Amino acid sequence: MVRRSLRYVVLLSLAVNAGLCATMTTPAEKPIVIAHRGASGERPEHTLAAYQLAIDQGADFIEPDLVPTRDDVLVARHENEIGGTTDVATHPEFAARRVTKTIDGEQVTGWFTEDFTFAELRTLRARERLPALRPGNTAYDGRFTIPTLAEIIALAKRRSAETGRTIGIYPETKHPTYFAGIDHPTDAPLVAELRAAGWDHADAPVFIQSFEVANLRRLKTMTRVRLIQLLGASGGPADAAHPSYAAMTTPAGLKEVARYADGIGPDKAMLWASGMPSALVADAHRAGLKVHPWTFRAEDPFLPPALRGRPGRTGMRADIRAALDQNIDGLFTDFPLDGVQVRDGVP
């Protein structure tokens, strides 16, 4: 472990001062910065305030995770269980709706968006999901409502007009097989809203992402917007369409992904092997896939051991720099201002 950490420190030093993989294919365009759930390091995630701040900080895309209400309105929540991200537990009128469900093979207890109409959900207010790590964000608890996809699209369009730069959206379809199985499919409603916004072409400022495979294959037949296959560092797709994410990252696996997707969104840990760059970025580029790793966060639990304990956000910024020097095409971060500044060489 010590040897690996030292190797990583040396690697990061090389990355920051000289660039580390000159032989890799360089992205044709500047890497994009994707505001993960908005500027969620500084505002409660998946709120219009978090998305607005991310745009103000220069993010290229804002990312809503999408789940449906009982009346099939797509709203932005990290999960359909909302006990940890809203004040639903303080609403006695909804106490009886606390239940246990099986989501993608795991039992989850709480309150679920699909059991609320949108009007009911609108009476709730957002809360910080990680109060122990982000106590400053708790000052905003209770201020913001749960936004709809339509509101997020409207925000992106309005701010694009105001700033003169294109603000895109990067929606994730959460648990698509689960929702289809309970008669609340999300793929078609998502495509319909994008089409209504005029976003049904390859140059639209949209990427749709999913950890599952079957719904991306289905979306390939429904829309022309770009699709991203998300990849975990362990396990496999919940729809069992592939045995493992690891198998999907082999050269042969990546070629198969390229049949239906335009890129991959790997766990950032997958960029490394024994403290050195893995072959993932180069292999993905050879397959014609973009690479957008997730998620760059400032807090020590989310950083590689070698970068923990550093002042401010310097550890995260070094983490981002090392990834950029692998010639990734974009990155997800909870702190988009830092992502933009590191990408653009701003100290």
Side-chain angles (χ1 to χ4, degrees):
M1 180 63 72
V2 172
R3 181 177 297 175
R4 177 179 297 182
S5 297
L6 288 173
R7 187 186 298 124
Y8 193 44
V9 169
V10 171
L11 178 62
L12 288 171
S13 177
L14 289 171
V16 171
N17 293 306
L20 79 129
C21 295
T23 60
M24 288 186 180
T25 302
T26 301
E29 301 175 351
K30 181 186 294 188
I32 61 172
V33 173
I34 307 146
H36 184 244
R37 310 174 195 171
S40 54
E42 300 178 85
R43 297 291 187 276
E45 65 188 31
H46 291 312
T47 59
L48 290 180
Y51 297 131
Q52 177 68 65
L53 180 58
I55 293 168
D56 291 343
Q57 293 180 343
D60 301 297
F61 286 79
I62 51 178
E63 186 228 17
D65 296 333
L66 298 177
V67 293
T69 63
R70 191 169 71 195
D71 44 353
D72 292 315
V73 177
L74 291 178
V75 297
R77 287 291 87 189
H78 171 52
E79 291 288 346
N80 52 325
E81 198 292 301
I82 54 174
T85 60
T86 73
D87 61 358
V88 65
T90 68
H91 286 250
E93 68 273 25
F94 298 136
R97 298 196 198 178
R98 187 173 187 268
V99 296
T100 298
K101 299 188 179 190
T102 301
I103 313 293
D104 294 346
E106 296 186 6
Q107 284 200 326
V108 181
T109 299
W111 292 264
F112 298 84
T113 58
E114 64 267 27
D115 296 331
F116 292 77
T117 65
F118 175 65
E120 290 173 328
L121 209 62
R122 200 64 151 183
T123 67
L124 307 180
R125 294 295 180 268
R127 298 175 62 87
E128 169 56 39
R129 187 175 64 89
L130 302 171
L133 291 176
R134 295 172 176 171
N137 282 6
T138 63
Y140 301 96
D141 286 355
R143 295 192 189 184
F144 311 124
T145 58
I146 297 172
T148 65
L149 172 60
E151 290 174 323
I152 295 165
I153 291 173
L155 173 65
K157 283 179 169 285
R158 176 172 59 81
R159 294 296 284 134
S160 294
E162 292 172 353
T163 63
R165 62 187 182 88
T166 300
I167 312 299
I169 71 167
Y170 206 122
E172 179 184 347
T173 59
K174 302 291 291 191
H175 311 298
T177 297
Y178 164 78
F179 283 121
I182 60 170
D183 295 323
H184 290 288
T186 55
D187 293 343
L190 169 57
V191 169
E193 291 212 43
L194 294 176
R195 187 171 292 126
W199 291 341
D200 187 22
H201 52 89
D203 294 327
V206 180
F207 289 93
I208 301 176
Q209 53 176 326
S210 179
F211 277 103
E212 296 189 18
V213 174
N215 81 304
L216 286 176
R217 291 185 182 276
R218 184 166 55 251
L219 284 163
K220 180 71 171 178
T221 70
M222 300 169 64
T223 180
R224 291 173 290 178
V225 303
R226 293 164 291 183
L227 307 176
I228 300 292
Q229 176 67 65
L230 296 175
L231 302 168
S234 61
D239 61 359
H242 206 285
S244 72
Y245 290 124
M248 296 172 74
T249 64
T250 65
L254 291 166
K255 288 180 182 178
E256 180 60 30
V257 171
R259 293 178 181 272
Y260 61 87
D262 299 274
I264 58 172
D267 183 324
K268 66 185 179 72
M270 301 170 78
L271 301 182
W272 307 95
S274 300
M276 297 298 290
S278 71
L280 181 59
V281 176
D283 287 346
H285 284 168
R286 276 192 286 270
L289 295 166
K290 294 185 180 296
V291 183
H292 299 160
W294 54 271
T295 301
F296 292 88
R297 292 165 161 151
E299 297 83 6
D300 275 357
F302 304 117
L303 290 171
L307 296 178
R308 294 173 186 168
R310 298 191 177 193
R313 300 174 188 167
T314 56
M316 177 187 67
R317 291 172 73 99
D319 202 18
I320 291 172
R321 181 70 266 161
L324 287 169
D325 285 337
Q326 286 203 42
N327 295 317
I328 59 175
D329 303 277
L331 60 97
F332 291 83
T333 179
D334 291 4
F335 297 88
L337 178 60
D338 294 89
V340 170
Q341 289 179 339
V342 174
R343 179 197 63 189
D344 294 347
V346 178

